[in-house]
Amino acid sequence: MSARLSRTTPLAPQARPAVDPDRLRTRVVHFGLGAFHRAHQAVYTENAAALSGDPWGITAVAPRSAETVRALRDQDCLYSLTERRPEGPRTRVVGSVLDALVMGPEAKAVDALLADPEVTVVTLTVTEKGYQRLASTGALDTAAVAADLAADPAGPLTTVIGRLAAGLAARMRAGAAPITVVSCDNMAGNGAVLSRMVREFVGASGLPDRDRILDRIAESVAFPSTVVDRIVPATSAADLAAAGTALGVRDELAVTAEPYRQWILEDSFAAPRPPWELDGALFVRDVTPYQLTKLRLLNGSHSALAYLGLAAGHTTIADTMAADWGERLVRALCAEVAPTLPAGGPDPGAYGDDLVVRFRNPAMRHALRQIGSDGSLKITERWLPALRTLRAAGTAAPVLELALAAWVFSTRPPAAGTDPAADALAACWDGSRRPVETVRALLRAVDAPDLADDTTLTTAVADRLPALRADRVEI
């Protein structure tokens, strides 16, 4: 198959984009060109444009991957999405992405878009580590962004926070129209986190007018919090081949996803936005109940399945759900964590029922190693706050203790190599330490000294390790 997907490629009617890309204009800038954005926000935006007739298009900015940008441009910024349905796959092309830029080399083009009054929304999917935040205090890690703080703001900065702050500063300085910046990453209070990182970057910069810029940002930039949900596995060679067969042409950027998708947004925008609600997005006053439910139940059980599954020799979520402990783990974790959730969100029991159905989908092959990556960042959001709440209430937390033991087991050298804190985690595995001392050291390495000092907890976690070494998951 030599022909490659492009705007001139003939496609079957059911495979064509929901809207003609030629009808769209760039009105949204997105940082992060990964599979999740292409399977989630880009789909909502395309469907919103199709259903409303409004010309909402996206220019995507890749923080690092020039190769992905080049591949997308080679396909006229088209790519396919395959929904892995139990009854069989469904593939269609998505056309809402109109252009792609590499953040460093094309800094001037990125800043021009951020200053463009036509652009009224910026979205981000850059993962937790892209926010350059200190886990201990929640403040900006100024050491991690030191090079950007010292550099020419118009130059090729290396962090998304630096580039976004510089672009917004230029927009504020020019007196351009208000704009909304929307974090779509899995963090509690992601809008507030992003707002703080941008403001602290500007405040720490050497800009002579930084106080005026900060005042203008307060007046003209909104940072709503959001909850995003869709399982999007890493694309495999088999996925690319299947997409090519379905389309009749090569697609080097095909993505796959489960049928389910959800987007909850805080209804606090400063400027016009795509009518995403036409495609099922939900705008609410406060996303916190939805956010915590998703982080602690879905993401929390996903991580637990990943680390326990890896310890037991499995490779995918579907494999863990086929084991005799998979469904029991999901339901038990949801029941254990439910008392830590605020009122006003989804019913935890029904939510757990939905998770079991989604995770069991035989068409999904979501790799445990992908889900388990960057664990030192993920567990601090997904498990530890709930664990603290339960411990403070004197409530037993055996499922979270088991999950934490599986994470501890996963960090032993050289297994922690994909984690940003890999060196610090590896250093905790000193051969002279007793298991409980290793658990304490690892908790301190993820800035959880309070839990490290909880002897009952650390002993319970350490007591779980022998079973995991023997490939047993005991719930």
Side-chain angles (χ1 to χ4, degrees):
M1 188 181 297
S2 58
R4 189 162 177 177
L5 180 64
S6 72
R7 291 195 185 184
T8 60
T9 300
L11 295 169
Q14 70 272 16
R16 294 172 188 163
V19 65
D20 181 356
D22 288 334
R23 289 182 39 227
L24 305 180
R25 303 193 306 272
T26 293
R27 301 182 67 185
V28 177
V29 171
H30 180 80
F31 284 90
L33 197 44
F36 185 81
H37 169 70
R38 286 181 276 141
H40 191 273
Q41 298 94 36
V43 174
Y44 276 97
T45 301
E46 179 182 59
N47 291 341
L51 292 167
S52 67
D54 297 333
W56 290 99
I58 302 166
T59 288
V61 179
R64 294 176 190 82
S65 182
E67 183 179 343
T68 302
V69 168
R70 185 163 48 250
L72 195 59
R73 287 173 172 172
D74 287 346
Q75 297 184 176
D76 295 333
C77 292
L78 299 177
Y79 63 90
S80 66
L81 167 66
T82 297
E83 291 187 351
R84 294 182 179 179
R85 298 172 175 267
E87 68 274 16
R90 182 178 301 174
T91 301
R92 77 168 180 89
V93 172
V94 178
S96 57
V97 179
L98 306 181
D99 198 5
L101 303 170
V102 186
M103 189 179 76
E106 297 178 289
K108 292 188 186 304
V110 175
D111 279 356
L113 282 173
L114 293 176
D116 186 346
E118 279 262 291
V119 172
T120 56
V121 176
V122 177
T123 54
L124 295 87
T125 51
V126 295
T127 75
E128 296 95 327
K129 61 186 174 185
Y131 290 75
Q132 313 297 338
R133 181 173 57 144
L134 290 169
S136 56
T137 64
L140 178 69
D141 185 348
T142 52
V145 298
D148 283 1
L149 287 169
D152 178 354
L157 306 183
T158 61
T159 67
V160 171
I161 294 300
R163 180 80 277 141
L164 179 60
L168 289 176
R171 186 182 181 104
M172 298 300 99
R173 195 176 289 120
I179 191 169
T180 304
V181 186
V182 186
S183 170
C184 301
D185 285 297
N186 281 320
M187 298 182 298
N190 52 13
V193 169
L194 179 56
S195 174
R196 180 176 179 180
M197 296 307 99
V198 169
R199 293 171 191 277
E200 290 187 357
F201 187 95
V202 174
S205 73
L207 297 175
D209 58 347
R210 59 184 178 273
D211 290 339
R212 176 172 170 269
I213 289 168
L214 287 171
D215 288 343
R216 285 278 292 134
I217 287 175
E219 295 168 358
S220 302
V221 185
F223 295 89
S225 288
T226 68
V227 181
V228 296
D229 191 1
R230 189 172 213 181
I231 297 172
V232 182
T235 303
S236 67
D239 294 329
L240 295 178
T245 299
L247 297 173
V249 292
R250 284 188 303 121
D251 177 9
E252 300 296 339
L253 288 171
V255 293
T256 68
E258 66 171 331
Y260 179 92
R261 58 188 168 95
Q262 183 186 59
W263 200 0
I264 314 291
L265 302 100
E266 181 183 356
D267 195 5
S268 60
F269 281 63
R273 59 165 178 80
W276 290 310
E277 65 272 24
L278 297 180
D279 194 37
L282 180 63
F283 288 82
V284 299
R285 184 184 61 82
D286 182 9
V287 305
T288 301
Y290 299 90
Q291 197 160 52
L292 290 179
T293 299
K294 196 252 181 174
L295 276 170
R296 296 184 183 179
L297 301 192
L298 186 146
N299 298 131
S301 59
H302 233 189
S303 289
L305 288 169
Y307 297 121
L308 287 162
L310 288 168
H314 299 300
T315 57
T316 69
I317 288 293
D319 293 338
T320 65
M321 294 302 289
D324 61 1
W325 53 267
E327 179 177 343
R328 285 191 292 123
L329 176 77
V330 173
R331 294 192 185 280
L333 186 144
C334 290
E336 182 172 291
V337 172
T340 74
L341 299 173
D347 173 73
Y351 195 91
D353 291 341
D354 288 343
L355 290 182
V356 169
V357 172
R358 293 170 65 188
F359 292 167
R360 272 182 175 169
N361 183 347
M364 295 293 292
R365 304 294 296 171
H366 202 175
L368 301 182
R369 292 205 175 276
Q370 179 192 7
I371 300 164
S373 64
D374 300 339
S376 66
L377 297 176
K378 291 176 179 176
I379 69 165
T380 59
E381 291 275 353
R382 301 177 181 191
W383 297 345
L384 301 192
L387 187 56
R388 288 186 177 101
T389 300
L390 293 171
R391 299 295 296 170
T395 304
V399 184
L400 286 174
E401 291 168 0
L402 173 62
L404 194 54
W407 171 75
V408 166
F409 191 65
S410 78
T411 64
R412 62 203 195 288
T418 59
D419 195 289
D423 292 342
L425 300 178
C428 297
W429 287 88
D430 182 334
S432 65
R433 282 192 174 112
R434 293 182 298 120
V436 70
E437 293 169 340
T438 298
V439 173
R440 290 179 186 137
L442 286 164
L443 286 169
R444 289 193 177 93
V446 295
D447 290 309
D450 56 323
L451 297 177
D453 291 338
D454 185 333
T455 301
T456 302
L457 171 66
T458 54
T459 301
V461 171
D463 287 347
R464 297 278 195 168
L465 294 174
L468 295 174
R469 290 193 186 95
D471 299 338
R472 297 196 314 272
V473 176
E474 298 177 346
I475 301 174

